[in-house]
Amino acid sequence: DIFVTYVSRRTSFFRTLLVSQFFGVCLLVAIAIAVGDLPGASAGQLLALAALAPVAVTAYVGFYRALELGPIAIVSPIVSANGVVVVVLALLVLGESLSAGQAVGCVLVLGCIILAALEPRAVIEEAGAGTGVRLAIVAAAAFGGYLFGLAIFSEELGWLVPILLTRTVAVAILATVE
């Protein structure tokens, strides 16, 4: 987060995002080549993963732009709340349940994230960080959806294939926008 903030504020968030995602895909390709034993995805899975890529783009664009605009001490904790979205989606979509202890843990984590991100409205407005905070909330929601989707696909395909495919499509989307 610190490095992205530093670079984004000196160049542009979009260029920083595109370059970091491109090199991330290169690293994932190197890992895929080294592993060599990757499960094949069906056509339906490929289409679904390609459809998940715009969610990743939304998450990363929102996050990088929020880091460029807002204070990292506020933006980063808000974006880290994406786990709440994953839990809520698991409860609603998959019908999973939480034990009382797990529910208390989730509430405590969310409460701590909120406390870490709390800043008096006057401080946020004075810093011109209102847009950054709003983008951080959008990024948190998008990351939650993206990570939930990756978790669904990773059950059948492992962790590498879903990330590699969605990131590759995301880089293609970003490159066409630039």
Side-chain angles (χ1 to χ4, degrees), residues 65-88:
R65 181 72 170 140
L67 286 172
E68 180 184 51
L69 295 174
I72 190 172
I74 298 172
V75 168
S76 191
I78 291 171
V79 175
S80 69
N82 67 67
V84 172
V85 176
V86 175
V87 170
V88 168

Side-chain angles (χ1 to χ4, degrees), residues 20-169:
S20 69
Q21 293 299 301
F22 174 77
F23 283 114
V25 167
C26 291
L27 178 61
L28 289 168
V29 167
I31 292 169
I33 291 169
V35 170
D37 184 28
L38 297 174
S42 69
Q45 289 170 324
L46 289 173
L47 286 173
L49 286 167
L52 189 57
V55 178
V57 169
T58 301
Y60 282 107
V61 166
F63 182 46
Y64 277 51
R65 181 72 170 140
L67 286 172
E68 180 184 51
L69 295 174
I72 190 172
I74 298 172
V75 168
S76 191
I78 291 171
V79 175
S80 69
N82 67 67
V84 172
V85 176
V86 175
V87 170
V88 168
L89 287 173
L91 294 172
L92 296 176
V93 175
L94 301 178
E96 294 184 3
S97 61
L98 297 174
S99 69
Q102 291 168 325
V104 168
C106 288
V107 169
L108 285 173
V109 168
L110 180 59
C112 290
I113 290 168
I114 291 169
L115 285 174
L118 277 181
E119 196 62 42
R121 180 173 291 277
V123 173
I124 290 173
E125 289 172 3
E126 182 180 311
T131 302
V133 169
R134 287 188 291 279
L135 286 170
I137 293 168
V138 169
F143 271 125
Y146 174 59
L147 293 173
F148 178 77
L150 289 179
I152 297 297
F153 287 105
S154 69
E155 290 179 15
E156 291 181 31
L157 299 173
W159 68 272
L160 182 57
V161 171
I163 294 172
L164 176 60
L165 292 175
T166 55
R167 289 275 186 101
T168 301
V169 174

